[in-house]
Amino acid sequence: MTKGYLGIDIGSISTKGVIIDAQNNILASTYLWTKGNPIQAVKEVLKDLQKQTKNQDIKIVSVGTTGSARKLIGTILKATIIKNEITAHAVGTLSRYPDVRTIIEIGGQDSKIILIRDGIVTDYAMNTLCAAGTGAFLSSQAKRLDVEVEDFGKIALTSKNPALIAARCTVFAESDLVHKAQIGYKKEDIIAGLCRSVALNYLNNVGKGKKILDPIIFQGGVSKNIGVVKAFEDILKTNVTTDEDGHLMGALGVAILAKKEKEINFSFDIMEGQFETSSINCGSCPNNCEIICVKEGNKLIDAWGNRCDRGKSNIKIEQKE
Amino acid sequence: MNHKIVGIPRALLYYYDKDLWIEFIKKLGHTPKISSFSNKKHLEEGQKLANDESCLSLKLFLGHINELKDECDMILVPRLFSIKKKEQVCTNFNCLYDLVNNLFDINIINYNIDLTEKESKLMAFLKLGEILGASYIKSYKAYKYAEKISLMKRKKLEQEQAEKLSTSKIKILLAGHPYNLYDELIGKPVCKFLSENEITILYSDRIDHTKIDEECKKLSTDIHWTHSKEVMASINYYQDKVDGIILLSSFPCGPDSLSNELISHKIKECPLITLIFEDLNSEVGVITRLESFIDILKTKKEKIYGKNN
């Protein structure tokens, strides 16, 4: 029997799961869309991982969760560790590229930069109020141009003369793109221009003022777009590495972190039950905190969101109902 | 002399001059009434009242006025233009009086500080005293007394902050305008999270005030917003004394949009994150950023001092 460690990364757009062994080798991995329902997505991830490992004698002894739904899923799975995505990504990437000094990550709705020096994270930045230049932006523009977003990169590479597209804001970029199309730019030039504007936007927003040093690893869904990779290489005038498992780094990282925790008994059936979330408004004071309750059948397993203790009594009332 | 209840909104300038106001009003025999800690209702009311391009802090301020409007005889809303020679304050403070006057049908008491027109703080308070029915001599004495108390309290905070520097725990400088740092909806959740994680918090406004001009000059010679200078100075002063810096801003802040940019370009050695708060903020996003930041500082410290220290 080998000991396995499960890491799940529940992002806004996609959900990723890996099982690793004690040497950090990936034994099974899965990647699917969250579709706005993290609980269902994780159920499917578990089902898929179980299927993949059916013939191997693996016992899961620790579970970690990361990503924006880490707390919700961590609670349901009784995870041994719940970690933010930045630490998880850094740990995952460092396990493969111990020399990395810059991680560029562009996901569905957020983008971040992680700076690493001598194997430890020294600084990071995340997009603040604006999601311009992330995966969601690219896929909406692909729809507008009637191109599959998966083909974006390939098409971009055929362009000899990328169009200049205003990069600072999705709204401006969008109107600029329409304008460029109307005055007769070729589609591939516009697409190459878009890829370039994603890279520029990233470097001017998230990467501003940060020292981007070699080796650079590019991750997240957008890293699958070869056009953006090339745009980064052109602008930074250096190599940008992508990993075929780049999308799994968060899940891998949190699985590695889970190894350090104490072992538990984990069964793939844990999500068999009916899990439900509901929200109630506390109402005890003008803040009117929204409290999220997670229930398994009729049993309340956890609740959060209240700023003070007054919310607890309301949760009890909710539980009785 | 009529006894008056003077409303003081717990927002914006309150966080700079609260002791001065409260002591002054009390000394003249009136009762200051301070609005409650910021809550969602303040925000909701403020959003309804404010121009949609106003910053979060101003929206909250209007919410506080709304709370006080029926509960006191008058509300104190000063107008500031220039409170230090050759410097200005944010335009919000220039227009605050007129803004409130337009939006509410209430009795406002106001004072005006504008050094470009030679209207000093002392003169402002003498006029304020006059409105409250006190003679110049009485107002002068009350002002001097209030000034003394406010200075004393300040000194104490500065001293406490200086003592914090000797701790072996992780230290973070929370930098921003005090009306954001101490607001229940903006800075408080951040402070709460940091304290729960055993982090020592230093506040940018508690820097030794005599150091401001000198320290600020090292980062930028011509930032001319008085309140931004304090933030810049503290960042320069503390950057080699703390483990990390958190820049806290409300959206959209004019002065900060410039000074934060400047800071993020000039501060290279000390880890720094910027947290921007707006009306639709979810606390989850803030916590993710804070969590990762603390992780960074912790691993860095472990690496330098060894795990068991």
Side-chain angles (χ1 to χ4, degrees):
Chain A
M1 186 201 74
T2 32
K3 280 181 180 172
Y5 305 88
L6 173 64
I8 300 182
D9 176 359
I10 316 98
S12 55
I13 305 283
S14 60
T15 300
K16 287 78 73 174
V18 296
I19 296 174
I20 59 166
D21 62 16
Q23 286 75 43
N24 300 347
N25 298 313
I26 295 182
L27 303 173
S29 73
T30 186
Y31 173 76
L32 44 86
W33 301 125
T34 310
K35 290 181 194 158
N37 187 346
I39 294 181
Q40 188 54 36
V42 172
K43 274 186 185 176
E44 280 165 35
V45 163
L46 289 183
K47 218 178 278 168
D48 191 41
L49 289 176
Q50 186 176 24
K51 214 169 87 191
Q52 288 181 40
T53 53
K54 207 168 55 190
N55 299 326
Q56 295 164 272
D57 185 19
I58 298 171
K59 187 175 164 10
I60 307 287
V61 291
S62 193
V63 182
T65 58
T66 184
S68 40
R70 61 184 180 279
K71 188 161 183 191
L72 172 66
I73 301 302
T75 306
I76 294 177
L77 293 181
K78 301 187 177 65
T80 37
I81 185 165
I82 299 173
K83 206 67 186 168
N84 63 77
E85 42 273 47
I86 298 191
T87 310
H89 269 277
V91 169
T93 313
L94 278 167
S95 74
R96 291 213 172 174
Y97 304 93
D99 303 328
V100 62
R101 289 202 284 180
T102 309
I103 301 174
I104 294 175
E105 211 235 305
I106 307 184
Q109 279 183 5
D110 55 27
S111 46
K112 29 184 152 356
I113 184 165
I114 307 176
L115 302 185
I116 297 174
R117 303 289 180 261
D118 306 322
I120 57 167
V121 181
T122 55
D123 201 358
Y124 86 97
M126 231 166 142
N127 57 337
T128 45
L129 299 174
C130 165
T134 57
F137 165 70
L138 274 183
S139 53
S140 73
Q141 298 317 319
K143 221 169 265 165
R144 177 186 289 278
L145 294 165
D146 197 21
V147 176
E148 291 296 322
V149 72
E150 289 82 357
D151 300 332
F152 240 61
K154 262 186 284 160
I155 299 173
L157 289 187
T158 64
S159 160
K160 291 196 182 70
N161 194 11
L164 274 178
I165 291 178
R168 62 196 165 278
C169 166
T170 308
V171 181
F172 291 135
E174 202 164 305
S175 50
D176 206 28
L177 182 142
V178 173
H179 175 69
K180 290 274 148 70
Q182 304 296 59
I183 60 171
Y185 274 81
K186 281 191 200 154
K187 205 180 239 181
E188 64 259 31
D189 291 343
I190 292 176
I191 290 175
L194 264 179
C195 294
R196 201 181 149 77
S197 83
V198 165
L200 273 176
N201 188 34
Y202 176 90
L203 294 171
N204 291 334
N205 277 323
V206 183
K208 85 177 159 212
K210 304 268 182 248
K211 229 181 200 160
I212 299 178
L213 296 177
D214 276 343
I216 303 165
I217 311 279
F218 181 20
Q219 299 175 351
V222 176
S223 71
K224 304 277 169 200
N225 183 328
I226 179 101
V228 180
V229 178
K230 179 135 188 311
F232 269 118
E233 287 186 333
D234 287 348
I235 298 166
L236 296 169
K237 298 190 175 60
T238 179
N239 275 330
V240 173
T241 313
T242 54
D243 189 306
E244 58 176 304
D245 290 335
H247 56 288
L248 297 175
M249 287 304 163
L252 175 64
V254 80
I256 294 173
L257 288 169
K259 278 200 315 196
K260 292 185 198 148
E261 303 298 314
K262 64 172 198 295
E263 298 188 355
I264 53 160
N265 274 322
F266 176 82
S267 133
F268 279 107
D269 314 330
I270 191 158
M271 298 265 301
E272 290 291 287
Q274 276 295 319
F275 288 93
E276 246 180 69
T277 55
S278 59
S279 65
I280 52 166
N281 285 351
C282 168
S284 304
C285 79
N287 275 327
N288 203 12
C289 295
E290 199 179 14
I291 305 173
I292 309 290
C293 303
V294 185
K295 285 190 284 188
E296 181 181 2
N298 283 323
K299 205 177 112 223
L300 182 84
I301 43 180
D302 205 354
W304 55 80
N306 42 324
R307 287 162 180 270
C308 65
D309 285 343
R310 268 176 293 190
K312 275 183 190 152
S313 52
N314 288 309
I315 299 167
K316 275 180 200 141
I317 297 166
E318 157 89 8
Q319 202 178 354
K320 268 176 205 156
E321 287 169 4
Chain B
M1 189 180 67
N2 268 338
H3 172 261
K4 295 269 195 296
I5 296 176
V6 182
I8 299 178
R10 196 189 289 268
L12 297 181
L13 293 171
Y14 166 83
Y15 291 100
Y16 294 99
D17 282 331
K18 57 173 182 285
D19 296 319
L20 201 57
W21 291 347
I22 294 168
E23 296 305 328
F24 183 77
I25 291 166
K26 274 195 200 156
K27 198 77 186 167
L28 295 185
H30 303 286
T31 310
K33 183 180 169 58
I34 302 159
S35 58
S36 51
F37 289 104
S38 290
N39 57 43
K40 285 270 167 63
K41 197 165 168 231
H42 289 127
L43 182 59
E44 272 167 35
E45 295 297 332
Q47 275 169 332
K48 277 185 223 156
L49 290 160
N51 173 318
D52 55 0
E53 282 181 18
S54 307
C55 72
L56 175 63
S57 320
L58 181 63
K59 286 177 185 164
L60 284 169
F61 173 82
L62 293 175
H64 282 274
I65 299 265
N66 194 60
E67 179 197 326
L68 289 170
K69 69 177 184 213
D70 302 320
E71 294 176 2
C72 30
D73 301 314
M74 41 182 59
I75 298 178
L76 176 64
V77 184
R79 174 180 176 273
L80 302 188
F81 186 77
S82 169
I83 53 173
K84 245 180 126 188
K85 252 190 192 155
K86 289 188 183 161
E87 287 175 17
Q88 270 190 28
V89 294
C90 168
T91 44
N92 276 344
F93 298 130
N94 302 169
C95 70
L96 223 49
Y97 168 79
D98 296 296
L99 194 69
V100 176
N101 204 11
N102 262 320
L103 286 170
F104 296 92
D105 184 19
I106 49 169
N107 197 0
I108 305 175
I109 52 168
N110 163 253
Y111 65 76
N112 202 7
I113 303 179
D114 184 357
L115 291 186
T116 59
E117 298 287 331
K118 299 209 169 62
E119 293 178 81
S120 68
K121 196 163 194 171
L122 172 64
M123 277 160 70
F125 272 80
L126 292 184
K127 281 185 193 161
L128 185 68
E130 199 180 356
I131 303 170
L132 288 167
S135 69
Y136 276 174
I137 294 178
K138 200 170 175 197
S139 299
Y140 180 78
K141 278 185 183 158
Y143 175 72
K144 282 294 167 192
Y145 170 77
E147 198 184 30
K148 204 175 91 192
I149 298 228
S150 132
L151 221 70
M152 221 165 66
K153 286 199 175 171
R154 230 218 104 77
K155 277 265 162 60
K156 200 171 156 232
L157 289 177
E158 284 173 8
Q159 218 160 28
E160 276 170 15
Q161 174 122 312
E163 281 160 18
K164 276 188 194 168
L165 281 175
S166 58
T167 169
S168 60
K169 283 188 195 163
I170 292 179
K171 295 181 283 285
I172 288 184
L173 171 69
L174 202 57
H177 301 295
Y179 52 80
N180 290 333
L181 299 185
Y182 304 115
D183 189 274
E184 202 70 11
L185 289 182
I186 305 175
K188 274 285 164 63
V190 175
C191 295
K192 195 177 149 209
F193 185 82
L194 293 178
S195 312
E196 280 168 5
N197 282 279
E198 302 206 336
I199 283 173
T200 304
I201 311 168
L202 293 107
Y203 300 91
S204 62
D205 69 315
R206 295 185 185 169
I207 181 184
D208 179 354
H209 260 57
T210 54
K211 289 199 174 81
I212 289 185
D213 283 336
E214 173 200 337
E215 289 293 333
C216 185
K217 228 171 249 167
K218 292 178 193 160
L219 272 192
S220 155
T221 44
D222 31 20
I223 274 262
H224 76 289
W225 293 286
T226 310
H227 297 141
S228 298
K229 271 191 132 175
E230 182 184 87
V231 178
M232 302 265 276
S234 72
I235 283 183
N236 192 60
Y237 177 70
Y238 286 114
Q239 61 168 321
D240 50 1
K241 298 176 182 66
V242 295
D243 299 285
I245 301 171
I246 297 175
L247 258 178
L248 213 103
S249 267
S250 58
F251 180 81
C253 177
D256 279 2
S257 66
L258 190 108
S259 64
N260 285 1
E261 193 82 356
L262 205 146
I263 290 163
S264 62
H265 277 95
K266 295 231 172 171
I267 301 299
K268 289 276 180 246
E269 298 305 321
C270 191
L272 176 137
I273 53 164
T274 313
L275 296 178
I276 299 177
F277 285 78
E278 46 136 24
D279 347 2
L280 305 168
N281 244 45
S282 75
E283 222 165 88
V284 186
V286 173
I287 296 299
T288 300
R289 285 165 174 82
L290 284 177
E291 234 181 81
S292 346
F293 194 59
I294 295 173
D295 272 352
I296 291 173
L297 303 184
K298 275 187 182 152
T299 40
K300 213 172 156 186
K301 201 153 194 170
E302 273 167 18
K303 185 112 180 175
I304 299 171
Y305 298 109
K307 242 189 158 140
N308 299 321
N309 199 319

